[in-house]
């Protein structure tokens, strides 16, 4: 079972509800759309709030 690194919700259950998730480009942890601090539509990555200001996540802008 995979869980969101921020809210600890089951990611498979969230996906069934239509809530996507992706990996953080900085730490690699999985983050759901409800908790993300930025999104890159090209890669599908969601940056976690802890790394929102990290330069390696600068491409996660939406």
């Amino acid at each position: 079972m995979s869980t969101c690194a921020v809210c600890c919700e089951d990611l498979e259950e969230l996906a069934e509800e239509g809530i996507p998730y992706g990996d953080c480009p900085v730490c690699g942890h999985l983050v759901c759309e409800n908790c993300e601090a930025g999104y890159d539509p090209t890669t599908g990555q969601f940056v976690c709030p802890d790394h929102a200001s990290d330069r390696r996540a600068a491409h996660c802008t939406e």
Side-chain angles (χ1 to χ4, degrees):
M1 176 176 85
S2 296
T3 59
C4 175
V6 179
C7 68
C8 299
E9 291 289 328
D10 183 302
L11 293 171
E12 291 178 23
E13 288 181 12
L14 289 175
E16 288 175 7
E17 296 173 17
I19 300 170
Y21 62 91
D23 62 313
C24 176
V26 179
C27 66
H29 290 131
L30 295 173
V31 182
C32 73
E33 182 180 50
N34 293 338
C35 297
E36 55 91 1
Y39 172 66
D40 182 354
T42 305
T43 64
Q45 292 178 301
F46 289 107
V47 66
C48 65
D50 289 343
H51 297 115
S53 60
D54 190 293
R55 63 179 170 76
R56 294 172 287 177
H59 62 285
C60 297
T61 56
E62 289 187 26

